[in-house]
Amino acid sequence: MGRWLAALPLVALAACQPPAAEDYLERGKVTEALPQASAPLPSPDTTGAVWAPSDIDERLLYGVPGETPLLAFQCERGGAIARLAFTRFAPADREAQAMMAVVGNFHALRLPVDSTYNGRAWLWQGSVEADHPDLEAMTGQKEFEATIPGAGSVELKPSPLVRSLVNACRATPEDEEPDEDAEPAR
């Protein structure tokens, strides 16, 4: 009988229903509409797509000639470490955030991207330090792929232009050879 008496408080406690649990369904109702993500976009057709230099220095565009580029890739200098910036020319929801995966050549780069308004549309943009080892996903001899959830996957062809841009962006001013035609500093 002593065991039953010891268990009696536990049985009584289990039978209790705290007042907060009685109306949990009513308390959880949302009265205002929450923003919804746009419908996912299909992956673009990359047949005929190529890498090409841009009018902007140290910037490459990837896409089908004569059409809107699919991706831009640019070296940004100015901080302590140069960065490689990416723009995925696909509509993005206002102020959305995601991770872009760049996979290929036995490497995987995961890059945070934000939707950024460029004056006409919200597009995906992000950057990574130029010395990041997983940028090798883009510099090898094999195709690679860039995927943003909801914006599809872009299949990218390998190119010596990409390798050159990554290597040039990684180089520090001390690594560059001096211009022989330039006058020496006095």
Side-chain angles (χ1 to χ4, degrees):
M1 180 143 148
R3 287 186 199 172
W4 289 105
L5 288 176
L8 189 59
L10 294 174
V11 171
L13 183 61
C16 288
Q17 201 176 33
E22 292 175 4
D23 65 344
Y24 75 95
L25 287 176
E26 288 79 22
R27 288 184 289 127
K29 288 186 179 176
V30 177
T31 57
E32 61 186 57
L34 297 174
Q36 298 292 315
S38 298
L41 299 172
S43 296
D45 181 10
T46 58
T47 305
V50 295
W51 286 100
S54 167
D55 294 340
I56 300 170
D57 286 342
E58 295 191 299
R59 183 176 190 226
L60 296 175
L61 300 173
Y62 185 78
V64 177
E67 296 181 13
T68 301
L70 300 171
L71 185 79
F73 182 49
Q74 177 176 351
C75 179
E76 293 181 340
R77 301 178 189 275
I81 297 174
R83 299 186 69 80
L84 286 160
F86 297 83
T87 300
R88 172 71 173 91
F89 293 97
D93 290 338
R94 178 185 185 123
E95 299 175 2
Q97 297 178 323
M99 293 295 284
M100 180 170 77
V102 180
V103 179
N105 295 290
F106 306 104
H107 289 271
L109 171 66
R110 287 163 185 84
L111 172 70
V113 290
D114 297 317
S115 67
T116 306
Y117 189 69
N118 72 352
R120 294 180 303 210
W122 290 88
L123 302 173
W124 293 107
Q125 293 187 325
S127 68
V128 65
E129 292 180 352
D131 62 356
H132 195 292
D134 286 329
L135 279 169
E136 299 305 318
M138 302 178 67
T139 61
Q141 300 293 320
K142 299 185 182 297
E143 291 186 354
F144 56 100
E145 190 171 354
T147 304
I148 298 175
S153 293
V154 178
E155 294 176 3
L156 301 134
K157 295 178 180 122
S159 171
L161 293 173
V162 175
R163 256 186 315 283
S164 294
L165 179 59
V166 170
N167 290 335
C169 198
R170 286 177 171 168
T172 61
E174 298 85 40
D175 294 338
E176 297 173 3
E177 294 182 24
D179 185 3
E180 293 177 11
D181 295 334
E183 291 185 32
R186 296 178 193 202

